[in-house]
Amino acid sequence: MYSKIYGAGITGLEARIIQVEADVSNGLPVFHMVGVLASAVKEARERVRISLQNSGFRIPAKRITVNLSPADLRKDGSGYDLPIAISLLAASGILPQNTDKSILMAGELGLNGHICSIQGALAMALQAKKEGFRQFLLPKENAREAAMVDGIDIIGVTTLLEAVEYLKGGLELSPVRVDLNALRQRLEEDTWEDFDEVYGQETAKKALVTAVSGGHNILLIGAPGTGKTMLAKRLPGIMPLLTRDEAVELTKIYGIAGLLREDMPLISRSPFRAPHHSIPAAAMAGGGKDPIPGEITLSHNGVLFLDELPEFDRNTLEILRQPMEEGQIHIARLGHSYSFPADMIVVGAMNPCKCGYYPDVNRCRCTQGQIQSYLSRISEPLLDRMDICVEMERIDGREIKCQGKASAEIRRQVQMAREIQSERYRDETITRNSQLTGKLLKKYCGLGRKEKRCFGDLREQLGISARGAERMLRVARTLADLEQSGEIREVHLLQASVYKSINRKFWGMEASYEG
């Protein structure tokens, strides 16, 4: 007998519907599986056989062939176990035939018949809804993740026997429902490290608020102990909740990467990723035979914090250049190319020299050559993509007594600036000032006569590239939004130029030094 069941696999960040066909016919007892299968799928033969046996089902001693199509697509992962087992039972006459697109299945089988969790359940549910499936049968551990998709019944099962009884009609299982508003409320109530715990550093705080408000990349440079990492770790507390579409997209990414928790199946807050400086280029970009998201993609709609920036391998840092410019990263593997989203804010933190105290001549122990060598680890193209560069101030005793604004208050300010941008770009394909390019930059960042003259003078004084000038103009637009100003004024251009002048101070070696 012949049967056909529908399963799903993950390719890049998207799910693909896979037809699982089984044929049980007379002949020498053999169990063949075909369809360009990776090792994990080939091993399903033994998992399925023993799982069926331990669940009380007997596979007939006949010629069994299982085909996973389309045949030209490589299948990987253990999520095909459940549809293979169900297809075999249907081909053996134990289950009724059902070849229409009514139900999708995915799940890994344990040898005792338990159905184990899989990766990418949300992506599969989205694709199932798109292709017209009415139900999605999957492990109970993944049910809440997949239930964020409306318009399709999500059925969570624990064992193979439970799945069979449900398909026979002998067991009723209610579709899993998730209250997204309640989940978002729980996330809103989560405690974060607060900005009011950081004393002083008002210039750096304002720069970080500007960066988060407009989606700008920022570099913090200063001596050890001035609070660079402390400030960066508090950024999640001032970032607004993601929109529903952003949350679903990010949850899909984290589900494919296997980073979701069963008790919190929704990523509703902007992610904060802080990889160690020893991370290899492949882990930063993502990849593998079947590419999975790297740190760049896991930071999508959030923050990628690179502490001790010069200590990262140069190849790892240079990978950032394309996603910082385009908001996505392209990966080519095994004749296929993938585009992963990477619209993140890059926050770098570094010391100005190896010892960390340049340009303080009383404390710095480095020679001028050592300083230049250390700073040169950051390439000019990468530095040019840092919209904001700010020097951390030395803290004295008086500043320690001055408590700053709380994160909740700052978050309201950021939210206001984001709402201004959302309204301004409602008819465009962008949402934030950092995404302004070409015609849109001219359209929304127009300058008056006095401002044009000021902008030209600043470009000449700083000697920045055309790309750097565009980025300076975007920052000025965000500064204007924070003040609820419809026009970019001279004061906004001057402030934005200050954020670019730090580059010249350190990399231009303008600070006086006697070593």
Side-chain angles (χ1 to χ4, degrees), residues 199-220:
Y199 296 88
Q201 297 296 2
E202 295 306 315
T203 300
K205 286 179 182 177
K206 182 177 180 181
L208 285 167
V209 171
T210 303
V212 172
S213 298
H216 306 289
N217 304 314
I218 181 171
L219 177 63
L220 304 174

Side-chain angles (χ1 to χ4, degrees), residues 24-25 38 54 78 81-82 160 198 214 290 313 339 400 423 460:
V24 178
S25 57
N54 289 334
S78 55
D81 293 6
L82 180 59
L160 177 59
V198 182
D290 294 286
D313 181 76
S339 292
I400 293 179
E423 176 63 22
E460 186 176 348

Side-chain angles (χ1 to χ4, degrees), residues 67-130:
N67 176 45
L68 276 63
S69 65
D72 61 341
L73 180 69
R74 187 172 184 270
K75 292 84 178 176
D76 199 1
S78 55
Y80 300 105
D81 293 6
L82 180 59
I84 290 172
I86 298 299
S87 184
L88 279 176
L89 291 174
S92 302
I94 298 173
L95 282 174
Q97 293 287 343
N98 183 14
T99 59
D100 65 339
K101 279 193 172 183
S102 62
I103 184 167
L104 183 74
M105 303 180 195
E108 176 185 340
L109 291 177
L111 299 184
N112 61 352
H114 181 78
I115 301 178
C116 308
S117 63
I118 57 172
Q119 296 180 4
L122 178 56
M124 294 177 185
L126 288 167
Q127 189 64 28
K129 179 186 176 182
K130 182 178 178 181

